[in-house]
Short mmCIF file of all heavy atoms in Angstrom, two decimals:
data_model
loop_
_atom_site.label_atom_id
_atom_site.label_comp_id
_atom_site.label_asym_id
_atom_site.label_seq_id
_atom_site.Cartn_x
_atom_site.Cartn_y
_atom_site.Cartn_z
N LEU A 1236 39.96 -17.82 -2.31
CA LEU A 1236 39.82 -16.90 -3.45
C LEU A 1236 38.45 -16.21 -3.44
O LEU A 1236 38.18 -15.36 -4.28
CB LEU A 1236 39.99 -17.67 -4.77
CG LEU A 1236 41.33 -18.31 -5.05
CD1 LEU A 1236 41.26 -19.16 -6.30
CD2 LEU A 1236 42.42 -17.25 -5.20
N ARG A 1237 37.62 -16.57 -2.50
CA ARG A 1237 36.24 -16.05 -2.38
C ARG A 1237 35.44 -16.32 -3.65
O ARG A 1237 34.66 -15.49 -4.10
CB ARG A 1237 36.26 -14.54 -2.09
CG ARG A 1237 36.96 -14.15 -0.83
CD ARG A 1237 36.13 -14.52 0.41
NE ARG A 1237 36.69 -13.99 1.62
CZ ARG A 1237 37.69 -14.58 2.31
NH1 ARG A 1237 38.21 -15.71 1.88
NH2 ARG A 1237 38.13 -14.04 3.43
N LEU A 1238 35.66 -17.49 -4.22
CA LEU A 1238 34.94 -17.84 -5.45
C LEU A 1238 34.04 -19.06 -5.26
O LEU A 1238 33.43 -19.55 -6.21
CB LEU A 1238 35.93 -18.12 -6.60
CG LEU A 1238 36.76 -16.93 -7.08
CD1 LEU A 1238 37.80 -17.39 -8.09
CD2 LEU A 1238 35.89 -15.86 -7.70
N GLY A 1239 33.95 -19.52 -4.04
CA GLY A 1239 33.14 -20.72 -3.79
C GLY A 1239 31.65 -20.45 -3.84
O GLY A 1239 31.21 -19.30 -3.77
N GLY A 1240 30.88 -21.50 -3.98
CA GLY A 1240 29.41 -21.40 -3.92
C GLY A 1240 28.76 -20.82 -5.15
O GLY A 1240 27.72 -20.17 -5.05
N ALA A 1241 29.36 -21.08 -6.34
CA ALA A 1241 28.77 -20.57 -7.58
C ALA A 1241 27.38 -21.15 -7.80
O ALA A 1241 26.45 -20.43 -8.22
CB ALA A 1241 29.67 -20.91 -8.75
N ASP A 1242 27.23 -22.47 -7.49
CA ASP A 1242 25.93 -23.12 -7.70
C ASP A 1242 24.85 -22.49 -6.81
O ASP A 1242 23.69 -22.36 -7.22
CB ASP A 1242 26.03 -24.63 -7.45
CG ASP A 1242 26.74 -24.96 -6.15
OD1 ASP A 1242 27.36 -24.06 -5.56
OD2 ASP A 1242 26.68 -26.14 -5.73
N VAL A 1243 25.25 -22.10 -5.60
CA VAL A 1243 24.28 -21.48 -4.67
C VAL A 1243 23.82 -20.12 -5.22
O VAL A 1243 22.63 -19.79 -5.19
CB VAL A 1243 24.91 -21.31 -3.26
CG1 VAL A 1243 23.93 -20.64 -2.30
CG2 VAL A 1243 25.33 -22.65 -2.71
N TRP A 1244 24.77 -19.36 -5.76
CA TRP A 1244 24.42 -18.05 -6.34
C TRP A 1244 23.48 -18.22 -7.54
O TRP A 1244 22.53 -17.47 -7.69
CB TRP A 1244 25.67 -17.30 -6.77
CG TRP A 1244 26.46 -16.71 -5.63
CD1 TRP A 1244 27.66 -17.14 -5.17
CD2 TRP A 1244 26.08 -15.60 -4.80
NE1 TRP A 1244 28.06 -16.37 -4.11
CE2 TRP A 1244 27.12 -15.43 -3.85
CE3 TRP A 1244 24.98 -14.76 -4.76
CZ2 TRP A 1244 27.07 -14.42 -2.88
CZ3 TRP A 1244 24.95 -13.77 -3.80
CH2 TRP A 1244 25.98 -13.60 -2.88
N LEU A 1245 23.78 -19.23 -8.37
CA LEU A 1245 22.93 -19.46 -9.54
C LEU A 1245 21.53 -19.89 -9.11
O LEU A 1245 20.53 -19.42 -9.66
CB LEU A 1245 23.56 -20.52 -10.46
CG LEU A 1245 24.85 -20.10 -11.16
CD1 LEU A 1245 25.48 -21.28 -11.88
CD2 LEU A 1245 24.58 -18.97 -12.15
N PHE A 1246 21.48 -20.76 -8.09
CA PHE A 1246 20.20 -21.22 -7.56
C PHE A 1246 19.41 -20.03 -7.00
O PHE A 1246 18.21 -19.89 -7.26
CB PHE A 1246 20.47 -22.27 -6.47
CG PHE A 1246 19.23 -22.81 -5.81
CD1 PHE A 1246 18.37 -23.64 -6.51
CD2 PHE A 1246 18.93 -22.49 -4.51
CE1 PHE A 1246 17.23 -24.13 -5.90
CE2 PHE A 1246 17.79 -22.97 -3.89
CZ PHE A 1246 16.94 -23.80 -4.59
N MET A 1247 20.12 -19.16 -6.27
CA MET A 1247 19.48 -17.98 -5.69
C MET A 1247 18.94 -17.05 -6.78
O MET A 1247 17.85 -16.50 -6.66
CB MET A 1247 20.51 -17.23 -4.83
CG MET A 1247 19.93 -16.14 -3.97
SD MET A 1247 21.21 -15.47 -2.93
CE MET A 1247 21.11 -13.77 -3.39
N SER A 1248 19.71 -16.94 -7.86
CA SER A 1248 19.30 -16.10 -8.98
C SER A 1248 17.97 -16.60 -9.57
O SER A 1248 17.05 -15.81 -9.84
CB SER A 1248 20.40 -16.11 -10.04
OG SER A 1248 19.91 -15.74 -11.26
N VAL A 1249 17.88 -17.93 -9.75
CA VAL A 1249 16.66 -18.53 -10.31
C VAL A 1249 15.48 -18.29 -9.36
O VAL A 1249 14.38 -17.88 -9.80
CB VAL A 1249 16.86 -20.04 -10.58
CG1 VAL A 1249 15.56 -20.70 -11.00
CG2 VAL A 1249 17.92 -20.25 -11.64
N ILE A 1250 15.71 -18.51 -8.07
CA ILE A 1250 14.65 -18.32 -7.07
C ILE A 1250 14.15 -16.86 -7.09
O ILE A 1250 12.95 -16.61 -7.09
CB ILE A 1250 15.17 -18.67 -5.64
CG1 ILE A 1250 15.51 -20.16 -5.54
CG2 ILE A 1250 14.18 -18.25 -4.55
CD1 ILE A 1250 14.34 -21.09 -5.42
N LEU A 1251 15.10 -15.93 -7.14
CA LEU A 1251 14.73 -14.51 -7.15
C LEU A 1251 13.96 -14.15 -8.42
O LEU A 1251 13.03 -13.35 -8.38
CB LEU A 1251 15.97 -13.63 -7.01
CG LEU A 1251 16.57 -13.55 -5.61
CD1 LEU A 1251 17.93 -12.88 -5.65
CD2 LEU A 1251 15.65 -12.79 -4.67
N PHE A 1252 14.36 -14.77 -9.53
CA PHE A 1252 13.66 -14.51 -10.79
C PHE A 1252 12.22 -15.01 -10.71
O PHE A 1252 11.29 -14.33 -11.17
CB PHE A 1252 14.40 -15.19 -11.95
CG PHE A 1252 13.92 -14.74 -13.30
CD1 PHE A 1252 14.24 -13.47 -13.77
CD2 PHE A 1252 13.12 -15.56 -14.07
CE1 PHE A 1252 13.77 -13.05 -15.00
CE2 PHE A 1252 12.66 -15.14 -15.30
CZ PHE A 1252 12.98 -13.88 -15.77
N VAL A 1253 12.04 -16.19 -10.10
CA VAL A 1253 10.69 -16.76 -9.93
C VAL A 1253 9.86 -15.82 -9.03
O VAL A 1253 8.70 -15.53 -9.32
CB VAL A 1253 10.76 -18.19 -9.34
CG1 VAL A 1253 9.39 -18.68 -8.93
CG2 VAL A 1253 11.37 -19.15 -10.36
N ILE A 1254 10.49 -15.33 -7.95
CA ILE A 1254 9.78 -14.41 -7.04
C ILE A 1254 9.37 -13.14 -7.79
O ILE A 1254 8.27 -12.62 -7.61
CB ILE A 1254 10.65 -14.09 -5.79
CG1 ILE A 1254 10.80 -15.34 -4.93
CG2 ILE A 1254 10.05 -12.96 -4.97
CD1 ILE A 1254 11.77 -15.21 -3.77
N ALA A 1255 10.26 -12.66 -8.68
CA ALA A 1255 9.94 -11.46 -9.47
C ALA A 1255 8.72 -11.72 -10.36
O ALA A 1255 7.86 -10.84 -10.52
CB ALA A 1255 11.14 -11.06 -10.32
N GLN A 1256 8.64 -12.95 -10.92
CA GLN A 1256 7.48 -13.29 -11.76
C GLN A 1256 6.20 -13.36 -10.92
O GLN A 1256 5.13 -12.93 -11.37
CB GLN A 1256 7.71 -14.63 -12.48
CG GLN A 1256 8.87 -14.64 -13.45
CD GLN A 1256 8.83 -13.47 -14.43
OE1 GLN A 1256 7.83 -13.21 -15.07
NE2 GLN A 1256 9.93 -12.75 -14.53
N VAL A 1257 6.33 -13.91 -9.70
CA VAL A 1257 5.17 -13.98 -8.79
C VAL A 1257 4.72 -12.55 -8.45
O VAL A 1257 3.52 -12.26 -8.42
CB VAL A 1257 5.53 -14.78 -7.51
CG1 VAL A 1257 4.42 -14.68 -6.48
CG2 VAL A 1257 5.79 -16.24 -7.84
N PHE A 1258 5.69 -11.67 -8.23
CA PHE A 1258 5.37 -10.27 -7.94
C PHE A 1258 4.64 -9.62 -9.11
O PHE A 1258 3.72 -8.84 -8.91
CB PHE A 1258 6.66 -9.48 -7.64
CG PHE A 1258 6.86 -9.25 -6.17
CD1 PHE A 1258 7.20 -10.30 -5.34
CD2 PHE A 1258 6.71 -8.00 -5.61
CE1 PHE A 1258 7.38 -10.11 -3.98
CE2 PHE A 1258 6.88 -7.81 -4.26
CZ PHE A 1258 7.21 -8.87 -3.44
N LYS A 1259 5.04 -10.00 -10.34
CA LYS A 1259 4.40 -9.43 -11.53
C LYS A 1259 2.90 -9.77 -11.51
O LYS A 1259 2.06 -8.90 -11.74
CB LYS A 1259 5.06 -10.03 -12.78
CG LYS A 1259 4.66 -9.36 -14.06
CD LYS A 1259 5.30 -10.05 -15.23
CE LYS A 1259 4.78 -9.53 -16.53
NZ LYS A 1259 5.24 -10.32 -17.66
N ARG A 1260 2.60 -11.03 -11.21
CA ARG A 1260 1.20 -11.48 -11.13
C ARG A 1260 0.51 -10.78 -9.95
O ARG A 1260 -0.67 -10.39 -10.07
CB ARG A 1260 1.16 -13.01 -10.98
CG ARG A 1260 -0.22 -13.59 -10.93
CD ARG A 1260 -0.95 -13.51 -12.27
NE ARG A 1260 -2.36 -13.80 -12.10
CZ ARG A 1260 -3.35 -12.97 -12.41
NH1 ARG A 1260 -3.07 -11.79 -12.94
NH2 ARG A 1260 -4.60 -13.29 -12.22
N GLY A 1261 1.23 -10.63 -8.85
CA GLY A 1261 0.68 -9.95 -7.68
C GLY A 1261 0.31 -8.51 -7.98
O GLY A 1261 -0.73 -8.03 -7.54
N ILE A 1262 1.16 -7.83 -8.75
CA ILE A 1262 0.89 -6.44 -9.14
C ILE A 1262 -0.38 -6.37 -9.99
O ILE A 1262 -1.24 -5.52 -9.78
CB ILE A 1262 2.11 -5.84 -9.90
CG1 ILE A 1262 3.31 -5.71 -8.95
CG2 ILE A 1262 1.77 -4.49 -10.49
CD1 ILE A 1262 4.64 -5.55 -9.66
N GLU A 1263 -0.49 -7.34 -10.93
CA GLU A 1263 -1.68 -7.37 -11.80
C GLU A 1263 -2.95 -7.56 -10.96
O GLU A 1263 -3.95 -6.88 -11.15
CB GLU A 1263 -1.56 -8.52 -12.80
CG GLU A 1263 -0.63 -8.23 -13.96
CD GLU A 1263 -0.33 -9.45 -14.81
OE1 GLU A 1263 -0.95 -10.51 -14.59
OE2 GLU A 1263 0.55 -9.34 -15.68
N MET A 1264 -2.86 -8.51 -9.99
CA MET A 1264 -4.03 -8.81 -9.14
C MET A 1264 -4.37 -7.61 -8.26
O MET A 1264 -5.54 -7.29 -8.07
CB MET A 1264 -3.75 -10.04 -8.27
CG MET A 1264 -3.88 -11.33 -9.04
SD MET A 1264 -3.34 -12.73 -8.08
CE MET A 1264 -4.72 -12.90 -6.96
N GLN A 1265 -3.32 -6.94 -7.75
CA GLN A 1265 -3.55 -5.78 -6.89
C GLN A 1265 -4.21 -4.64 -7.67
O GLN A 1265 -5.13 -4.00 -7.17
CB GLN A 1265 -2.21 -5.30 -6.31
CG GLN A 1265 -2.36 -4.28 -5.21
CD GLN A 1265 -1.03 -3.99 -4.55
OE1 GLN A 1265 -0.58 -4.74 -3.71
NE2 GLN A 1265 -0.41 -2.91 -4.97
N THR A 1266 -3.75 -4.45 -8.92
CA THR A 1266 -4.33 -3.41 -9.77
C THR A 1266 -5.81 -3.70 -10.05
O THR A 1266 -6.66 -2.82 -9.99
CB THR A 1266 -3.55 -3.30 -11.10
OG1 THR A 1266 -2.18 -3.30 -10.81
CG2 THR A 1266 -3.91 -2.06 -11.87
N GLU A 1267 -6.08 -4.99 -10.35
CA GLU A 1267 -7.47 -5.40 -10.60
C GLU A 1267 -8.32 -5.19 -9.37
O GLU A 1267 -9.46 -4.72 -9.44
CB GLU A 1267 -7.52 -6.87 -11.02
CG GLU A 1267 -7.36 -7.05 -12.51
CD GLU A 1267 -7.54 -8.49 -12.94
OE1 GLU A 1267 -8.17 -9.26 -12.21
OE2 GLU A 1267 -7.04 -8.84 -14.01
N ASN A 1268 -7.74 -5.53 -8.22
CA ASN A 1268 -8.46 -5.39 -6.96
C ASN A 1268 -8.78 -3.92 -6.66
O ASN A 1268 -9.86 -3.58 -6.18
CB ASN A 1268 -7.62 -5.99 -5.83
CG ASN A 1268 -8.42 -6.23 -4.59
OD1 ASN A 1268 -9.62 -6.52 -4.67
ND2 ASN A 1268 -7.81 -6.11 -3.45
N GLU A 1269 -7.79 -3.05 -6.99
CA GLU A 1269 -8.00 -1.62 -6.77
C GLU A 1269 -9.09 -1.07 -7.67
O GLU A 1269 -9.77 -0.11 -7.33
CB GLU A 1269 -6.70 -0.86 -7.01
CG GLU A 1269 -5.75 -0.93 -5.81
CD GLU A 1269 -4.35 -0.48 -6.13
OE1 GLU A 1269 -4.09 -0.06 -7.27
OE2 GLU A 1269 -3.51 -0.57 -5.22
N LEU A 1270 -9.26 -1.70 -8.85
CA LEU A 1270 -10.28 -1.22 -9.80
C LEU A 1270 -11.59 -2.00 -9.70
O LEU A 1270 -12.40 -1.99 -10.60
CB LEU A 1270 -9.72 -1.28 -11.23
CG LEU A 1270 -8.66 -0.23 -11.56
CD1 LEU A 1270 -8.03 -0.49 -12.91
CD2 LEU A 1270 -9.24 1.17 -11.51
N THR A 1271 -11.77 -2.71 -8.59
CA THR A 1271 -13.04 -3.37 -8.33
C THR A 1271 -13.86 -2.47 -7.41
O THR A 1271 -13.41 -2.13 -6.32
CB THR A 1271 -12.82 -4.75 -7.67
OG1 THR A 1271 -12.06 -5.55 -8.55
CG2 THR A 1271 -14.14 -5.43 -7.35
N VAL A 1272 -15.02 -2.06 -7.90
CA VAL A 1272 -15.83 -1.11 -7.10
C VAL A 1272 -17.03 -1.81 -6.48
O VAL A 1272 -17.45 -2.86 -6.92
CB VAL A 1272 -16.28 0.10 -7.94
CG1 VAL A 1272 -15.10 0.96 -8.29
CG2 VAL A 1272 -17.04 -0.34 -9.15
#
Side-chain angles (χ1 to χ4, degrees):
Chain A
L1236 296 173
R1237 299 287 188 277
L1238 294 173
D1242 48 348
V1243 179
W1244 285 108
L1245 292 172
F1246 178 71
M1247 191 175 123
S1248 160
V1249 173
I1250 295 284
L1251 284 169
F1252 192 73
V1253 170
I1254 292 173
Q1256 297 310 309
V1257 172
F1258 258 71
K1259 190 183 173 188
R1260 182 70 193 120
I1262 293 162
E1263 283 170 8
M1264 283 172 75
Q1265 191 172 280
T1266 314
E1267 271 186 22
N1268 196 32
E1269 279 167 2
L1270 288 172
T1271 300
V1272 291

